């Protein structure tokens, strides 16, 4: 069995703003509440390899891994995969952005499988990713919408 999740949210902000903020990976520790740090390891065109480190979990364990992501602004997609898979046999992620009359829809699709010796199974991880993705997407939506409001209310330069 393998895990699969799809979650989406609409952000009341222009596509360019949503794209720019969510793909500024150096700022992910300030955008996501679960990441304590991000270190860019290499860049090659539109592909970036980076180490992502989470805050300690309830047991005090700090999870960290290397991922690689490729942005395709023309098609409004980002594809990512874990290079250091940890407890995953594989983890592939697709982010899609769709411009809507009321803002921008952001969709995250994750396909993965847990290793046989992982501390949790595919079903547990599917539930965990779904729950966590919804939480993070709502926080990201709120942060981006605040930036959009601040920009809209900023005084015009003289």
């Amino acid at each position: 069995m393998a895990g699969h999740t799809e979650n989406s949210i609409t952000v009341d902000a222009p596509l360019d703003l949503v794209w720019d903020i969510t793909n500024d990976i150096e700022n992910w520790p300030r955008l996501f509440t679960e990441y304590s740090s991000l270190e860019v390891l290499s860049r090659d065109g539109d592909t970036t390899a980076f180490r992502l480190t989470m805050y300690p979990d309830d047991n005090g364990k700090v999870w960290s891994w290397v991922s690689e992501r490729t942005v395709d602004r023309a098609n409004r997609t980002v594809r990512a995969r874990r290079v250091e898979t940890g407890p995953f046999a594989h983890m592939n992620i697709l982010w899609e952005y769709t411009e809507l009359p009321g803002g921008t829809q952001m969709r995250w699709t994750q396909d993965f499988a847990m290793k046989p010796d992982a501390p949790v199974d595919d079903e547990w991880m599917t539930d965990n990713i779904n729950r966590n993705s919804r939480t993070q997407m709502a926080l990201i939506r709120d942060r981006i919408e605040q930036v959009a409001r601040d920009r809209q209310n900023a005084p015009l330069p003289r």
Side-chain angles (χ1 to χ4, degrees):
M1 184 178 154
H4 174 83
T5 66
E6 286 185 40
N7 290 281
S8 66
I9 197 163
T10 300
V11 182
D12 184 12
L15 181 120
D16 286 340
L17 182 62
V18 176
W19 177 273
D20 290 346
I21 290 175
T22 58
N23 287 294
D24 180 4
I25 65 170
E26 288 88 348
N27 283 310
W28 277 7
R30 287 182 287 286
L31 185 62
F32 291 82
T33 59
E34 60 191 344
Y35 302 142
S36 65
S37 67
L38 184 144
E39 175 190 4
V40 172
L41 303 174
S42 67
R43 291 189 194 278
D44 183 14
D46 291 329
T47 301
T48 303
F50 58 96
R51 173 167 297 283
L52 199 53
T53 302
M54 297 183 78
Y55 287 103
D57 65 16
D58 293 340
N59 298 318
K61 171 114 174 100
V62 175
W63 297 95
S64 181
W65 64 90
V66 173
S67 286
E68 182 179 271
R69 71 193 312 263
T70 302
V71 297
D72 181 351
R73 189 165 188 136
N75 290 306
R76 300 174 178 167
T77 60
V78 179
R79 294 190 180 277
R81 67 181 184 88
R82 281 194 181 200
V83 177
E84 289 180 2
T85 58
F88 292 91
H90 70 273
M91 166 62 88
N92 298 308
I93 303 169
L94 172 65
W95 286 15
E96 299 171 283
Y97 300 79
T98 304
E99 198 165 16
L100 302 172
T104 304
Q105 182 187 60
M106 183 171 61
R107 177 183 308 278
W108 296 348
T109 303
Q110 294 171 283
D111 290 297
F112 60 91
M114 304 308 295
K115 291 179 180 173
D117 62 346
V120 298
D121 62 14
D122 293 338
E123 182 179 356
W124 186 96
M125 188 56 73
T126 298
D127 290 341
N128 185 62
I129 289 173
N130 276 325
R131 188 172 41 259
N132 193 52
S133 292
R134 291 180 194 119
T135 298
Q136 293 301 313
M137 290 178 119
L139 291 165
I140 290 167
R141 177 202 58 212
D142 294 349
R143 290 176 176 172
I144 294 172
E145 287 178 353
Q146 184 62 53
V147 170
R149 282 191 300 275
D150 290 349
R151 289 184 178 181
Q152 187 175 18
N153 296 328
L156 294 174
R158 295 179 187 236

